[in-house]
Amino acid sequence: MDEGDGDLATFFHYLGVAAKQAAPRYRTPLPHLTPEYLQGLPTFTRRFFEQLYTRLKRPALLILDNYQEVPLDSLFHQTVALGVEALPEKINVIVMSRALPPPAFTRLQATRQIHFIDEEALRLTNEESRAIIRLHARAQTAKVAALAAVLHNRLQGWVAGLVLQLEQKAASLPDLSSTSETPQVIFEYLAREVLHRLSPEHQRFLLQTAFLPNIPPALAERLTRNVMADDILFNLYQSRYFTERKMGTDPVYQYHPLFREFLRAHAKVALSPDEIAATQRTAASLLEETDRFEEAVALYYEAGQLEQIVRLILSRAPMLLQQGRTQTLEGWLKLIPAEQYDQQPWLSYWLGACRMPIDPVESQDLFARAFERFKAQNDRAGMLMACAGVLSSILISWLDFRKLDRWIAIMLDVVSSDVSFPSPEIESQVTFSLLNALMWRCPRASVITPWIDRSKNLIEGVQGIEKHSTLVAGLVILLLWLEQIASADKYARLLKSAGESESTQPLTRLVYHANASMLAWFCGDPAQTVHHGEQGLEISQKTGVHVFDSTMLGVCAYGALFQGDVISAEQYLNRLGILVAHPDHMMRANFLYQQAWVHRIKGDLSRAWTLIQEGLEVKGLKGSPFPEAHLSYAAADLLHALGKTMEARQYLNRVEKIAQDMESPYVRYVAHLLKAFFAFDHENEVEARAILQQALAIGNQHGFTFIYWWMPDMMARLCAQALEAKIEVEYVQKLIRTTKLTPVGEAATNEAWPWPIKIYTLGRFEIHLDGKPLPPRRKAPYQVLKLLKAIVALGGDGVPVSRLIDALWPDAEGDTGQENLHKSLQRLRRFLAVDGLIQARDGKVSLNRQMCWVDAMAFQTLLSGADDSKHRQTQPDARIRRDEQAIALYRGPFLEDDGAHEWADHYRQRLRHQFEQAVQHVSDWKKTEGQEEAALTCLENGLEADPLAEPLYPRLIRFLHSLDRQSEAKKVLARYQKAVIMAGREPSTEMQRLAKNVSART
């Protein structure tokens, strides 16, 4: 261990290198601690050690030596504690330190997961000292006993001190016993004895190699130019001259830390400053050649070679950032005086890159300073990278996106979309940052399309798409915002195989699920939206990569809200609120918007409006078109619901302006939908339908389904109006099916609604499943269909079981009728194969009106609404329209082929009577309006539908008489007479009198 291990990314990097050497059969390297893991450091640590332990052949031992070198305030100690907690059987850890265990180890000690061998336990007893002396000195027992007592008291059981003294053959026992210095002084005394015993050439060798932390013989030979380096080191090790040897592919030697410290101090006396500096430079250069850059930087700094550190920073910074070792890189950068940053702006750039994950606000300033210096030096590559850095820092901070505007303008001024870049890496980084900035602040198709095309060119055909996962993510979301759903799906699929593989880097997997969730929403699949969001949250929990948590929680909340699942939405939002607590966080605006949506669904309009107002005040929201459009749309809806028409109109105007500025079909679509809804509410039906026509034409063209701020009742009402007016019927029906809208109000009578099942009973008996007539092979047994007809005839809703049994099994005794009904209901359910259609509870049977349309029931619903007295007085035209809709549904008598059944005949007569009244009412109204031919046609069509609608005959005959159309009146009379004869009925008294009058007239 050394101070460098205080940078956890460096520790994990070198531990991963060691694991590769220990277990070369594993090709996949252990992960680097890159910035995306920092929020979930404990999770990353556990997973890293778990993977490490699975690679080690057991039994195994992990030794952490010189642990005291790690700074006490470093997170390294908590990291090691987590690694110890994850230890499996037959793998142990030994920590060797000259300091007490850090506080992070307290819990491990309390749970006895570690055992602490303290200073007292390590001290030699008198007997142990005597035994060690006997092994080394082979002296007489009496002499050893006397010496042991003296040394034991003086060294206080210090093992290393005793061994160091005994191993130096030149130090006689009497001399040692007379020494009365401290252990440190004793060590320095012994080290001097060792040094003086060597030749000047070997002394110089020791002094030079002391600048190397550990010493491969080949490196020592090049540093000292001594061809005997290997032999010298081996002899030092064999003579126990404070030299250790570590065996591997090649042996590596290491001086005892106190001995190395002594040698470096002695070098300052024995060597001139120029010689020391030259040795340090050479040693640093050699260390650099063997990729030991941290040690090289330390020596360059000691030698005053700052220019060499700058060179190393500029060459190694990208690699260090890729490995997540920002703390190490930042440590190097802080060695450089401030004045050199003015001369070399890349220093400011790389310092900004180090600070961005930790403090993106500070990194903005560093990148901005770098940009100005690059600009002064006319360094175009530097300008591009620094500008991209500023944009990325602003985006990562999620604070005040208004700052993006200046840097977007600067970037577009520096580079056009068709210009070449200094390198593919610069092109990718610049394109990604600019694309994301434009998405938030300037998502106009005319501005952003060239950069979309450049992104596509960068992505397509590239090997290892995971490296461009963030660019893919930005592109997919932008394409969705621009309503290019098919194109977004194409690029999202590029990450599918990698995103669904557990061996892929967590960041790539999270990007895939974030994209997939957004895509699922735009395709109208909220269940998949939640599924992918949950998958992302599960990955973040397992891997410790939490950078997408707010995104995943947000999409899960959206998916829940689209499905009307308020409870789940609130649970997601409770977790999200903690992550976006900062009042200026852009994601907080989205959070407040979703909270307001929840309260809107609950009906708490005042609370929802308060939250939307708070969201609109989030700094930086103004000028971020897409989110501002969302909140303005919500504000317009809420104010309209609160009766504040003028204020609602102002916010709707803002949405329309954003749609125009963005050139966004989606925002124009939702604005028109809301505008049409307002017009319908204000009874401006002609205007409302014209606006609705525009909205649905856009929706059909782009395949829109769900919209933000999804209000099912509003959309169901608009869809019903569209179907009634025959506006984009196929698209509207598909929209209803996709979003699983259920009919409300008048929509429940609309035949064009895409009902799962439709039952026709007026003039025919047919069953349509998903809009198609039941195929012949699906013919049901007579009794099953008879049960369905009876349910309809007896009202279709809450039909008592007893009435059904009496109607269908009047002679059944005991429980037989009940059993027959139960079996028939089961067969009917299987036959129709629509879950939830037939409902039986509390002794009553019903048809689910949200899933099933029955012409007879719709007919009655329309007429009952038309008969409402208030409705009749305030909206006479609306009443006539409903009557006409009902008349259109009546295509003949109810189940006219089932006349033998009392239950069918009773309902048939009731429906016929209602039909006759409706036809007369519409005919009279048209006559009053001067539409005489239309009035006649209404009566004639009524008789065409039901020739036994007797009250219509005299009305039609008299009407024809009043128009002096006697021959036509006579034909109507003949028609009546034929109808009653065919039905086996006698003409009514009224019609007999009327027949005489007709004969008299002719």
Side-chain angles (χ1 to χ4, degrees):
M1 301 290 102
D2 56 35
E3 289 186 7
D5 291 306
D7 179 0
L8 290 179
T10 294
F11 168 71
F12 283 118
H13 169 72
Y14 283 115
L15 192 53
V17 171
K20 184 67 176 175
Q21 294 173 350
R25 67 185 183 279
Y26 289 91
R27 295 183 179 181
T28 304
L30 290 170
H32 283 100
L33 181 59
T34 41
E36 65 267 21
Y37 289 105
L38 294 179
Q39 293 181 30
L41 183 57
T43 304
F44 172 86
T45 300
R46 291 189 191 94
R47 285 180 56 82
F48 184 96
F49 278 108
E50 286 168 1
Q51 292 181 52
L52 171 64
Y53 296 150
T54 60
R55 299 181 183 208
L56 297 179
K57 186 177 180 180
R58 304 181 192 184
L61 190 63
L62 180 63
I63 299 175
L64 304 177
D65 197 4
N66 292 324
Y67 194 89
Q68 73 283 345
E69 297 296 332
V70 180
L72 188 61
D73 60 353
S74 172
L75 288 173
F76 178 82
H77 306 296
Q78 289 93 318
T79 299
V80 172
L82 290 171
V84 172
E85 288 180 354
L87 278 172
E89 290 185 5
K90 297 185 179 180
I91 296 182
N92 292 296
V93 174
I94 293 179
V95 177
M96 294 191 290
S97 175
R98 280 180 271 165
L100 292 172
F105 285 15
T106 302
R107 191 163 68 88
L108 294 174
Q109 289 179 269
T111 57
R112 302 184 66 80
Q113 289 179 270
I114 62 170
H115 299 280
F116 174 50
I117 304 175
D118 61 14
E119 183 181 359
E120 289 301 320
L122 289 172
R123 291 184 188 277
L124 296 172
T125 65
N126 201 355
E127 292 180 1
E128 290 168 339
S129 297
R130 189 160 52 246
I132 291 173
I133 293 171
R134 186 180 299 113
L135 287 172
H136 281 76
R138 300 182 184 279
Q140 297 176 3
T141 304
K143 194 172 185 179
V144 167
L147 180 61
V150 173
L151 290 179
H152 182 77
N153 290 334
R154 181 173 297 129
L155 297 173
Q156 299 179 354
W158 179 35
V159 181
L162 180 60
V163 172
L164 286 171
Q165 291 192 42
L166 295 175
E167 285 187 342
Q168 311 314 312
K169 297 176 182 178
S172 64
L173 295 181
D175 291 337
L176 290 175
S177 64
S178 63
T179 304
S180 60
E181 301 293 345
T182 64
Q184 180 70 28
V185 173
I186 292 171
F187 184 89
E188 291 182 2
Y189 163 75
L190 294 171
R192 280 195 297 272
E193 288 295 315
V194 169
L195 195 61
H196 292 159
R197 200 174 298 131
L198 300 174
S199 67
E201 182 184 11
H202 285 188
Q203 288 185 29
R204 185 175 183 83
F205 178 90
L206 283 171
L207 296 179
Q208 290 177 309
T209 53
F211 290 100
L212 297 172
N214 46 63
I215 314 162
L219 203 66
E221 181 178 332
R222 293 181 63 188
L223 176 64
T224 63
R225 299 181 181 180
N226 190 326
V227 295
M228 300 299 293
D230 198 350
D231 292 336
I232 295 171
L233 289 167
F234 181 74
N235 290 332
L236 287 169
Y237 162 71
Q238 202 169 42
S239 301
R240 302 293 190 268
Y241 283 171
F242 313 131
T243 305
E244 302 171 5
R245 183 174 67 171
K246 298 179 180 179
M247 295 304 296
T249 307
D250 296 306
V252 176
Y253 295 89
Q254 188 176 40
Y255 297 140
H256 188 285
L258 293 176
F259 187 49
R260 182 169 179 251
E261 185 181 330
F262 165 79
L263 290 174
R264 286 171 64 95
H266 191 69
K268 293 179 181 179
V269 178
L271 302 177
S272 68
D274 289 343
E275 286 178 304
I276 291 174
T279 301
Q280 289 171 328
R281 286 196 301 271
T282 304
S285 178
L286 293 170
L287 289 168
E288 190 179 338
E289 289 180 16
T290 56
D291 293 344
R292 294 162 64 182
F293 301 108
E294 297 94 322
E295 296 157 354
V297 166
L299 284 175
Y300 278 137
Y301 186 71
E302 289 180 22
Q305 298 290 298
L306 297 182
E307 69 282 0
Q308 297 298 331
I309 299 177
V310 171
R311 177 183 57 79
L312 265 180
I313 288 171
L314 300 184
S315 64
R316 306 307 304 176
M319 179 204 69
L320 290 171
L321 288 176
Q322 188 177 0
Q323 295 171 350
R325 298 167 63 191
T326 56
Q327 192 173 335
T328 294
L329 178 57
E330 186 173 344
W332 295 3
L333 286 159
K334 289 184 176 179
L335 298 174
I336 309 302
E339 56 270 16
Q340 290 205 28
Y341 281 69
D342 294 328
Q343 302 167 19
Q344 181 47 271
W346 282 108
L347 297 174
S348 292
Y349 174 85
W350 291 118
L351 185 56
C354 289
R355 298 302 300 163
M356 186 160 57
I358 302 165
D359 189 345
V361 175
E362 180 187 357
S363 69
Q364 291 173 38
D365 294 335
L366 290 164
F367 285 130
R369 288 203 294 270
F371 176 85
E372 295 301 330
R373 296 186 185 104
F374 283 131
K375 184 177 179 181
Q377 297 175 6
N378 199 28
D379 184 340
R380 184 167 168 273
M383 292 167 67
L384 289 171
M385 291 294 283
C387 192
V390 175
L391 292 173
S392 296
S393 296
I394 296 170
L395 289 165
I396 288 173
S397 74
W398 289 101
L399 302 175
D400 198 353
F401 279 8
R402 292 175 298 182
K403 294 179 181 178
L404 290 169
D405 298 343
R406 176 192 171 214
W407 291 98
I408 289 172
I410 290 173
M411 180 72 90
L412 292 175
D413 186 53
V414 173
V415 60
S416 61
S417 61
D418 59 348
V419 77
S420 60
F421 282 84
S423 72
E425 292 76 19
I426 292 177
E427 181 180 11
S428 179
Q429 192 161 342
V430 168
T431 302
F432 171 71
S433 61
L434 183 57
L435 200 65
N436 277 278
L438 288 171
M439 178 174 69
W440 282 101
R441 298 298 292 179
C442 188
R444 291 196 301 274
S446 56
V447 176
I448 207 165
T449 297
W451 291 97
I452 290 176
D453 293 340
R454 180 179 286 277
S455 299
K456 292 177 179 178
N457 292 335
L458 277 169
I459 292 167
E460 290 179 358
V462 71
Q463 295 295 320
I465 191 66
E466 308 89 67
K467 295 180 180 178
H468 295 276
S469 61
T470 52
L471 181 58
V472 173
L475 177 61
V476 168
I477 293 172
L478 183 55
L479 289 171
L480 290 173
W481 281 19
L482 294 175
E483 298 84 39
Q484 298 179 28
I485 298 174
S487 186
D489 182 49
K490 170 187 172 182
Y491 288 98
R493 288 180 182 275
L494 293 177
L495 292 174
K496 182 175 174 61
S497 60
E500 293 180 345
S501 170
E502 291 195 5
S503 62
T504 303
Q505 289 294 323
L507 187 61
T508 300
R509 295 169 64 197
L510 288 169
V511 166
Y512 163 70
H513 285 292
N515 278 352
S517 64
M518 292 289 291
L519 188 61
W521 174 78
F522 271 90
C523 292
D525 193 341
Q528 280 297 302
T529 299
V530 175
H531 168 74
H532 283 290
E534 285 285 4
Q535 287 288 102
L537 292 169
E538 184 178 339
I539 291 168
S540 70
Q541 186 65 30
K542 288 181 178 179
T543 63
V545 180
H546 293 285
V547 292
F548 275 90
D549 279 9
S550 59
T551 299
M552 297 302 179
L553 289 167
V555 297
C556 284
Y558 275 125
L561 287 166
F562 297 147
Q563 297 177 88
D565 185 355
V566 174
I567 294 174
S568 294
E570 287 184 308
Q571 290 172 347
Y572 289 124
L573 291 175
N574 287 340
R575 294 164 63 187
L576 178 60
I578 300 170
L579 303 178
V580 293
H582 194 292
D584 294 334
H585 198 295
M586 275 291 291
M587 286 293 286
R588 182 161 183 79
N590 183 65
F591 165 71
L592 293 167
Y593 168 81
Q594 290 179 307
Q595 276 197 316
W597 190 348
V598 167
H599 286 282
R600 174 69 169 94
I601 293 173
K602 286 181 170 182
D604 189 348
L605 300 179
S606 297
R607 178 59 182 155
W609 170 235
T610 300
L611 289 164
I612 287 296
Q613 285 178 296
E614 188 179 343
L616 287 165
E617 292 302 316
V618 170
K619 195 178 292 184
L621 180 72
K622 295 291 185 185
S624 294
F626 210 63
E628 187 182 354
H630 290 162
L631 272 85
S632 297
Y633 176 97
D637 169 64
L638 288 168
L639 288 167
H640 175 76
L642 289 166
K644 300 180 179 181
T645 305
M646 294 299 294
E647 295 94 325
R649 183 67 223 181
Q650 291 173 358
Y651 278 103
L652 183 55
N653 289 342
R654 178 60 187 151
V655 179
E656 291 181 308
K657 179 66 166 58
I658 291 172
Q660 181 180 352
D661 292 345
M662 282 181 66
E663 303 165 9
S664 169
Y666 172 77
V667 180
R668 193 162 66 251
Y669 169 68
V670 297
H672 283 335
L673 285 178
L674 192 59
K675 192 174 183 180
F677 183 72
F678 287 0
F680 278 120
D681 264 7
H682 294 140
E683 300 177 9
N684 299 327
E685 189 170 300
V686 175
E687 176 190 356
R689 288 190 170 181
I691 298 168
L692 186 59
Q693 172 76 62
Q694 297 175 41
L696 296 176
I698 297 169
N700 188 19
Q701 180 183 352
H702 295 277
F704 295 145
T705 50
F706 281 103
I707 63 171
Y708 289 98
W709 200 259
W710 179 254
M711 295 295 151
D713 286 356
M714 182 189 92
M715 287 302 299
R717 180 179 170 191
L718 290 174
C719 286
Q721 290 283 356
L723 292 173
E724 182 181 327
K726 296 181 172 55
I727 298 172
E728 302 287 350
V729 172
E730 288 187 14
Y731 165 66
V732 172
Q733 290 178 333
K734 182 180 178 182
L735 177 66
I736 292 168
R737 290 191 188 98
T738 302
T739 60
K740 296 180 173 60
L741 279 175
T742 55
V744 294
E746 293 184 9
T749 66
N750 197 318
E751 182 181 0
W753 192 275
W755 302 93
I757 182 168
K758 289 192 282 189
I759 302 171
Y760 292 92
T761 61
L762 298 173
R764 55 180 168 153
F765 181 73
E766 286 183 9
I767 299 173
H768 289 203
L769 297 177
D770 290 325
K772 297 178 181 179
L774 200 68
R777 64 179 179 274
R778 287 283 303 278
K779 293 298 183 182
Y782 171 75
Q783 194 66 22
V784 170
L785 292 181
K786 188 177 179 182
L787 171 60
L788 179 60
K789 294 173 183 179
I791 293 172
V792 174
L794 296 175
D797 183 31
V799 181
V801 166
S802 57
R803 290 194 65 189
L804 288 171
I805 294 173
D806 290 343
L808 301 176
W809 299 279
D811 300 327
E813 296 181 359
D815 295 333
T816 305
Q818 190 82 28
E819 292 173 2
N820 290 340
L821 177 61
H822 178 71
K823 290 177 181 178
S824 295
L825 283 173
Q826 287 184 320
R827 294 172 69 190
L828 180 59
R829 289 189 179 106
R830 286 196 299 269
F831 170 69
L832 296 175
V834 178
D835 291 339
L837 173 63
I838 308 293
Q839 299 173 333
R841 63 172 66 93
D842 300 328
K844 296 180 180 180
V845 178
S846 301
L847 295 175
N848 186 342
R849 295 293 299 275
Q850 292 188 333
M851 304 175 68
C852 173
W853 179 87
V854 181
D855 57 357
M857 297 168 73
F859 172 83
Q860 286 192 296
T861 300
L862 284 166
L863 293 182
S864 63
D867 287 341
D868 180 78
S869 59
K870 181 180 179 182
H871 193 85
R872 185 166 58 247
Q873 293 170 5
T874 58
Q875 294 181 299
D877 290 351
R879 183 203 172 189
I880 291 298
R881 188 172 69 248
R882 290 173 68 92
D883 279 348
E884 288 180 322
Q885 290 172 343
I887 291 169
L889 290 178
Y890 193 94
R891 295 163 192 169
F894 175 76
L895 298 179
E896 57 184 335
D897 294 333
D898 290 81
H901 303 296
E902 182 181 347
W903 47 265
D905 187 58
H906 176 72
Y907 193 48
R908 183 183 305 117
Q909 295 305 322
R910 181 148 48 102
L911 293 175
R912 176 177 284 150
H913 177 67
Q914 290 175 316
F915 172 68
E916 292 165 349
Q917 287 186 317
V919 171
Q920 292 177 63
H921 176 253
V922 172
S923 177
D924 289 347
W925 183 84
K926 290 182 181 294
K927 186 177 179 181
T928 303
E929 293 292 312
Q931 303 175 30
E932 292 179 339
E933 286 302 321
L936 283 171
T937 300
C938 178
L939 292 169
E940 288 170 349
N941 290 342
L943 290 172
E944 187 70 30
D946 191 345
L948 294 179
E950 188 165 316
L952 301 184
Y953 285 102
R955 187 174 290 261
L956 177 57
I957 291 171
R958 292 189 182 102
F959 195 178
L960 289 168
H961 279 320
S962 69
L963 297 174
D964 199 22
R965 293 160 67 170
Q966 310 303 332
S967 61
E968 292 180 49
K970 189 174 181 179
K971 289 179 181 179
V972 172
L973 177 61
R975 182 175 169 187
Y976 166 75
Q977 291 169 338
K978 181 180 179 181
V980 295
I981 291 171
M982 292 289 293
R985 292 165 52 178
E986 291 291 330
S988 67
T989 304
E990 182 182 7
M991 285 302 297
Q992 291 177 13
R993 281 198 307 270
L994 194 58
K996 292 178 182 179
N997 291 337
V998 169
S999 298
R1001 286 175 181 269
T1002 57

